[in-house]
mmCIF file of all heavy atoms in Angstrom:
data_model
loop_
_atom_site.group_PDB
_atom_site.id
_atom_site.type_symbol
_atom_site.label_atom_id
_atom_site.label_comp_id
_atom_site.label_asym_id
_atom_site.label_seq_id
_atom_site.Cartn_x
_atom_site.Cartn_y
_atom_site.Cartn_z
ATOM 1 N N GLY A 1 136.818 164.929 263.100
ATOM 2 C CA GLY A 1 137.811 165.869 263.600
ATOM 3 C C GLY A 1 139.225 165.304 263.632
ATOM 4 O O GLY A 1 140.200 166.019 263.333
ATOM 5 N N ILE A 2 139.356 164.028 263.996
ATOM 6 C CA ILE A 2 140.689 163.421 264.032
ATOM 7 C C ILE A 2 141.293 163.361 262.634
ATOM 8 O O ILE A 2 142.509 163.605 262.455
ATOM 9 C CB ILE A 2 140.613 162.001 264.635
ATOM 10 C CG1 ILE A 2 140.160 162.056 266.123
ATOM 11 C CG2 ILE A 2 141.955 161.292 264.511
ATOM 12 C CD1 ILE A 2 141.166 162.750 267.034
ATOM 13 N N ASP A 3 140.462 163.060 261.604
ATOM 14 C CA ASP A 3 140.968 163.056 260.228
ATOM 15 C C ASP A 3 141.469 164.430 259.800
ATOM 16 O O ASP A 3 142.528 164.575 259.178
ATOM 17 C CB ASP A 3 139.870 162.600 259.265
ATOM 18 C CG ASP A 3 139.466 161.149 259.471
ATOM 19 O OD1 ASP A 3 140.327 160.365 259.915
ATOM 20 O OD2 ASP A 3 138.309 160.812 259.226
ATOM 21 N N ILE A 4 140.708 165.457 260.165
ATOM 22 C CA ILE A 4 141.116 166.840 259.828
ATOM 23 C C ILE A 4 142.398 167.200 260.570
ATOM 24 O O ILE A 4 143.311 167.809 260.009
ATOM 25 C CB ILE A 4 139.983 167.829 260.163
ATOM 26 C CG1 ILE A 4 138.776 167.575 259.279
ATOM 27 C CG2 ILE A 4 140.487 169.285 259.961
ATOM 28 C CD1 ILE A 4 137.562 168.457 259.623
ATOM 29 N N LEU A 5 142.456 166.800 261.855
ATOM 30 C CA LEU A 5 143.650 167.059 262.663
ATOM 31 C C LEU A 5 144.887 166.452 262.007
ATOM 32 O O LEU A 5 145.946 167.083 261.895
ATOM 33 C CB LEU A 5 143.452 166.514 264.079
ATOM 34 C CG LEU A 5 144.661 166.576 265.000
ATOM 35 C CD1 LEU A 5 145.074 168.018 265.277
ATOM 36 C CD2 LEU A 5 144.350 165.842 266.311
ATOM 37 N N LYS A 6 144.767 165.185 261.556
ATOM 38 C CA LYS A 6 145.901 164.521 260.927
ATOM 39 C C LYS A 6 146.326 165.267 259.651
ATOM 40 O O LYS A 6 147.526 165.455 259.402
ATOM 41 C CB LYS A 6 145.528 163.083 260.567
ATOM 42 C CG LYS A 6 145.357 162.144 261.745
ATOM 43 C CD LYS A 6 144.954 160.760 261.244
ATOM 44 C CE LYS A 6 144.759 159.787 262.405
ATOM 45 N NZ LYS A 6 144.298 158.447 261.970
ATOM 46 N N ALA A 7 145.342 165.702 258.864
ATOM 47 C CA ALA A 7 145.657 166.424 257.618
ATOM 48 C C ALA A 7 146.348 167.752 257.912
ATOM 49 O O ALA A 7 147.317 168.127 257.220
ATOM 50 C CB ALA A 7 144.368 166.650 256.808
ATOM 51 N N VAL A 8 145.854 168.459 258.930
ATOM 52 C CA VAL A 8 146.445 169.755 259.286
ATOM 53 C C VAL A 8 147.887 169.576 259.756
ATOM 54 O O VAL A 8 148.791 170.308 259.343
ATOM 55 C CB VAL A 8 145.610 170.448 260.368
ATOM 56 C CG1 VAL A 8 146.350 171.653 260.949
ATOM 57 C CG2 VAL A 8 144.268 170.896 259.797
ATOM 58 N N LYS A 9 148.109 168.576 260.613
ATOM 59 C CA LYS A 9 149.457 168.350 261.146
ATOM 60 C C LYS A 9 150.432 167.881 260.074
ATOM 61 O O LYS A 9 151.628 168.081 260.208
ATOM 62 C CB LYS A 9 149.403 167.360 262.307
ATOM 63 C CG LYS A 9 148.797 167.983 263.569
ATOM 64 C CD LYS A 9 149.591 169.212 263.987
ATOM 65 C CE LYS A 9 148.954 170.015 265.069
ATOM 66 N NZ LYS A 9 149.713 171.225 265.409
ATOM 67 N N GLN A 10 149.899 167.256 259.041
ATOM 68 C CA GLN A 10 150.772 166.807 257.968
ATOM 69 C C GLN A 10 151.153 167.979 257.038
ATOM 70 O O GLN A 10 152.305 168.096 256.610
ATOM 71 C CB GLN A 10 150.087 165.724 257.140
ATOM 72 C CG GLN A 10 150.950 165.203 255.990
ATOM 73 C CD GLN A 10 150.297 164.056 255.263
ATOM 74 O OE1 GLN A 10 149.322 163.484 255.718
ATOM 75 N NE2 GLN A 10 150.831 163.716 254.097
ATOM 76 N N ASP A 11 150.168 168.863 256.730
ATOM 77 C CA ASP A 11 150.400 169.935 255.760
ATOM 78 C C ASP A 11 150.889 171.211 256.405
ATOM 79 O O ASP A 11 151.760 171.899 255.862
ATOM 80 C CB ASP A 11 149.123 170.197 254.965
ATOM 81 C CG ASP A 11 148.659 168.996 254.161
ATOM 82 O OD1 ASP A 11 149.539 168.162 253.818
ATOM 83 O OD2 ASP A 11 147.463 168.871 253.914
ATOM 84 N N THR A 12 150.323 171.567 257.559
ATOM 85 C CA THR A 12 150.679 172.823 258.231
ATOM 86 C C THR A 12 150.846 172.564 259.723
ATOM 87 O O THR A 12 149.993 172.923 260.553
ATOM 88 C CB THR A 12 149.573 173.883 258.007
ATOM 89 O OG1 THR A 12 148.288 173.310 258.343
ATOM 90 C CG2 THR A 12 149.563 174.386 256.580
ATOM 91 N N PRO A 13 151.936 171.912 260.111
ATOM 92 C CA PRO A 13 152.101 171.462 261.495
ATOM 93 C C PRO A 13 152.212 172.573 262.523
ATOM 94 O O PRO A 13 152.040 172.323 263.712
ATOM 95 C CB PRO A 13 153.413 170.656 261.439
ATOM 96 C CG PRO A 13 154.142 171.192 260.255
ATOM 97 C CD PRO A 13 153.092 171.551 259.272
ATOM 98 N N ASN A 14 152.472 173.813 262.090
ATOM 99 C CA ASN A 14 152.653 174.890 263.052
ATOM 100 C C ASN A 14 151.323 175.490 263.545
ATOM 101 O O ASN A 14 151.321 176.322 264.458
ATOM 102 C CB ASN A 14 153.515 176.013 262.454
ATOM 103 C CG ASN A 14 154.954 175.614 262.338
ATOM 104 O OD1 ASN A 14 155.422 174.753 263.084
ATOM 105 N ND2 ASN A 14 155.674 176.194 261.399
ATOM 106 N N ILE A 15 150.199 175.074 262.968
ATOM 107 C CA ILE A 15 148.913 175.600 263.425
ATOM 108 C C ILE A 15 148.492 174.877 264.702
ATOM 109 O O ILE A 15 148.289 173.651 264.690
ATOM 110 C CB ILE A 15 147.798 175.397 262.351
ATOM 111 C CG1 ILE A 15 148.154 176.119 261.057
ATOM 112 C CG2 ILE A 15 146.452 175.902 262.869
ATOM 113 C CD1 ILE A 15 147.120 175.935 259.967
ATOM 114 N N PRO A 16 148.318 175.571 265.812
ATOM 115 C CA PRO A 16 147.819 174.923 267.029
ATOM 116 C C PRO A 16 146.346 174.523 266.823
ATOM 117 O O PRO A 16 145.552 175.292 266.254
ATOM 118 C CB PRO A 16 147.937 175.989 268.119
ATOM 119 C CG PRO A 16 148.851 177.028 267.551
ATOM 120 C CD PRO A 16 148.657 176.993 266.068
ATOM 121 N N VAL A 17 145.971 173.315 267.301
ATOM 122 C CA VAL A 17 144.609 172.833 267.154
ATOM 123 C C VAL A 17 144.032 172.517 268.541
ATOM 124 O O VAL A 17 144.621 171.748 269.290
ATOM 125 C CB VAL A 17 144.560 171.570 266.276
ATOM 126 C CG1 VAL A 17 143.106 171.072 266.145
ATOM 127 C CG2 VAL A 17 145.145 171.859 264.896
ATOM 128 N N VAL A 18 142.916 173.170 268.873
ATOM 129 C CA VAL A 18 142.220 172.903 270.111
ATOM 130 C C VAL A 18 140.989 172.045 269.778
ATOM 131 O O VAL A 18 140.134 172.447 268.990
ATOM 132 C CB VAL A 18 141.787 174.193 270.814
ATOM 133 C CG1 VAL A 18 140.935 173.872 272.047
ATOM 134 C CG2 VAL A 18 142.999 175.019 271.193
ATOM 135 N N ILE A 19 140.920 170.862 270.377
ATOM 136 C CA ILE A 19 139.822 169.911 270.122
ATOM 137 C C ILE A 19 138.695 170.143 271.118
ATOM 138 O O ILE A 19 138.944 170.290 272.319
ATOM 139 C CB ILE A 19 140.309 168.446 270.206
ATOM 140 C CG1 ILE A 19 141.338 168.149 269.110
ATOM 141 C CG2 ILE A 19 139.158 167.472 270.140
ATOM 142 C CD1 ILE A 19 140.759 168.137 267.720
ATOM 143 N N ILE A 20 137.431 170.166 270.632
ATOM 144 C CA ILE A 20 136.254 170.234 271.518
ATOM 145 C C ILE A 20 135.306 169.101 271.161
ATOM 146 O O ILE A 20 135.241 168.700 269.998
ATOM 147 C CB ILE A 20 135.522 171.590 271.407
ATOM 148 C CG1 ILE A 20 135.089 171.881 269.984
ATOM 149 C CG2 ILE A 20 136.395 172.725 271.946
ATOM 150 C CD1 ILE A 20 134.243 173.145 269.843
ATOM 151 N N SER A 21 134.586 168.580 272.162
ATOM 152 C CA SER A 21 133.638 167.507 271.890
ATOM 153 C C SER A 21 132.614 167.391 273.002
ATOM 154 O O SER A 21 132.942 167.534 274.176
ATOM 155 C CB SER A 21 134.363 166.177 271.714
ATOM 156 O OG SER A 21 133.432 165.131 271.534
ATOM 157 N N GLY A 22 131.384 167.145 272.573
ATOM 158 C CA GLY A 22 130.328 166.911 273.585
ATOM 159 C C GLY A 22 130.280 165.453 274.029
ATOM 160 O O GLY A 22 129.491 165.087 274.897
ATOM 161 N N HIS A 23 131.098 164.640 273.409
ATOM 162 C CA HIS A 23 131.102 163.199 273.744
ATOM 163 C C HIS A 23 132.485 162.826 274.248
ATOM 164 O O HIS A 23 132.978 161.731 274.014
ATOM 165 C CB HIS A 23 130.731 162.366 272.529
ATOM 166 C CG HIS A 23 129.483 162.846 271.828
ATOM 167 N ND1 HIS A 23 128.244 162.536 272.276
ATOM 168 C CD2 HIS A 23 129.344 163.644 270.748
ATOM 169 C CE1 HIS A 23 127.350 163.109 271.484
ATOM 170 N NE2 HIS A 23 127.994 163.789 270.557
ATOM 171 N N GLY A 24 133.124 163.759 274.895
ATOM 172 C CA GLY A 24 134.522 163.580 275.274
ATOM 173 C C GLY A 24 134.745 162.506 276.301
ATOM 174 O O GLY A 24 133.921 162.289 277.197
ATOM 175 N N ASN A 25 135.826 161.810 276.153
ATOM 176 C CA ASN A 25 136.299 160.873 277.172
ATOM 177 C C ASN A 25 137.800 160.842 277.073
ATOM 178 O O ASN A 25 138.428 161.405 276.160
ATOM 179 C CB ASN A 25 135.670 159.497 277.014
ATOM 180 C CG ASN A 25 135.879 158.961 275.604
ATOM 181 O OD1 ASN A 25 136.974 159.023 275.070
ATOM 182 N ND2 ASN A 25 134.808 158.415 275.019
ATOM 183 N N ILE A 26 138.449 160.149 277.982
ATOM 184 C CA ILE A 26 139.895 160.137 278.055
ATOM 185 C C ILE A 26 140.531 159.528 276.794
ATOM 186 O O ILE A 26 141.586 159.954 276.334
ATOM 187 C CB ILE A 26 140.382 159.423 279.339
ATOM 188 C CG1 ILE A 26 141.894 159.630 279.525
ATOM 189 C CG2 ILE A 26 140.057 157.940 279.282
ATOM 190 C CD1 ILE A 26 142.309 161.071 279.671
ATOM 191 N N GLU A 27 139.841 158.520 276.210
ATOM 192 C CA GLU A 27 140.392 157.872 275.018
ATOM 193 C C GLU A 27 140.450 158.851 273.852
ATOM 194 O O GLU A 27 141.442 158.906 273.107
ATOM 195 C CB GLU A 27 139.565 156.631 274.618
ATOM 196 C CG GLU A 27 139.722 155.440 275.555
ATOM 197 C CD GLU A 27 138.914 155.578 276.830
ATOM 198 O OE1 GLU A 27 138.057 156.487 276.890
ATOM 199 O OE2 GLU A 27 139.173 154.816 277.787
ATOM 200 N N ILE A 28 139.384 159.641 273.698
ATOM 201 C CA ILE A 28 139.367 160.618 272.585
ATOM 202 C C ILE A 28 140.425 161.695 272.837
ATOM 203 O O ILE A 28 141.143 162.108 271.919
ATOM 204 C CB ILE A 28 137.977 161.273 272.487
ATOM 205 C CG1 ILE A 28 136.931 160.220 272.053
ATOM 206 C CG2 ILE A 28 138.001 162.433 271.492
ATOM 207 C CD1 ILE A 28 135.514 160.742 272.018
ATOM 208 N N ALA A 29 140.524 162.142 274.082
ATOM 209 C CA ALA A 29 141.530 163.173 274.414
ATOM 210 C C ALA A 29 142.928 162.663 274.111
ATOM 211 O O ALA A 29 143.754 163.361 273.522
ATOM 212 C CB ALA A 29 141.412 163.551 275.876
ATOM 213 N N VAL A 30 143.235 161.415 274.526
ATOM 214 C CA VAL A 30 144.553 160.842 274.294
ATOM 215 C C VAL A 30 144.807 160.737 272.777
ATOM 216 O O VAL A 30 145.895 161.075 272.301
ATOM 217 C CB VAL A 30 144.662 159.459 274.956
ATOM 218 C CG1 VAL A 30 145.916 158.726 274.481
ATOM 219 C CG2 VAL A 30 144.696 159.612 276.482
ATOM 220 N N ALA A 31 143.778 160.262 272.018
ATOM 221 C CA ALA A 31 143.930 160.139 270.585
ATOM 222 C C ALA A 31 144.227 161.471 269.935
ATOM 223 O O ALA A 31 145.094 161.588 269.057
ATOM 224 C CB ALA A 31 142.676 159.496 269.972
ATOM 225 N N ALA A 32 143.537 162.536 270.391
ATOM 226 C CA ALA A 32 143.727 163.850 269.802
ATOM 227 C C ALA A 32 145.124 164.396 270.137
ATOM 228 O O ALA A 32 145.810 164.959 269.257
ATOM 229 C CB ALA A 32 142.655 164.821 270.329
ATOM 230 N N ILE A 33 145.543 164.262 271.384
ATOM 231 C CA ILE A 33 146.856 164.759 271.796
ATOM 232 C C ILE A 33 147.952 164.003 271.042
ATOM 233 O O ILE A 33 148.948 164.586 270.619
ATOM 234 C CB ILE A 33 147.047 164.618 273.333
ATOM 235 C CG1 ILE A 33 146.029 165.486 274.091
ATOM 236 C CG2 ILE A 33 148.464 165.006 273.726
ATOM 237 C CD1 ILE A 33 146.162 166.965 273.853
ATOM 238 N N LYS A 34 147.794 162.677 270.874
ATOM 239 C CA LYS A 34 148.801 161.906 270.148
ATOM 240 C C LYS A 34 148.955 162.360 268.720
ATOM 241 O O LYS A 34 150.027 162.282 268.132
ATOM 242 C CB LYS A 34 148.421 160.412 270.179
ATOM 243 C CG LYS A 34 148.783 159.704 271.481
ATOM 244 C CD LYS A 34 148.496 158.207 271.362
ATOM 245 C CE LYS A 34 148.969 157.458 272.607
ATOM 246 N NZ LYS A 34 148.699 156.008 272.495
ATOM 247 N N GLN A 35 147.852 162.815 268.152
ATOM 248 C CA GLN A 35 147.906 163.280 266.764
ATOM 249 C C GLN A 35 148.396 164.701 266.635
ATOM 250 O O GLN A 35 148.470 165.252 265.524
ATOM 251 C CB GLN A 35 146.505 163.139 266.092
ATOM 252 C CG GLN A 35 146.033 161.711 265.955
ATOM 253 C CD GLN A 35 146.951 160.868 265.076
ATOM 254 O OE1 GLN A 35 147.581 161.384 264.168
ATOM 255 N NE2 GLN A 35 147.033 159.575 265.390
ATOM 256 N N GLY A 36 148.719 165.340 267.779
ATOM 257 C CA GLY A 36 149.315 166.684 267.722
ATOM 258 C C GLY A 36 148.425 167.818 268.136
ATOM 259 O O GLY A 36 148.790 168.985 267.956
#
C-alpha cells in the first residue's frame, strides 16, 4: 500500500488516499501520513 500511495502522490497528488490496515500501529500510520 505504501508503494501505491507513493506512486499516486507522485502522478496524481490531488487524489485523497485513506489507508486501512488490520495490522495497524502508530509507525505505519505515521509512515502513511508522511507519504501524503
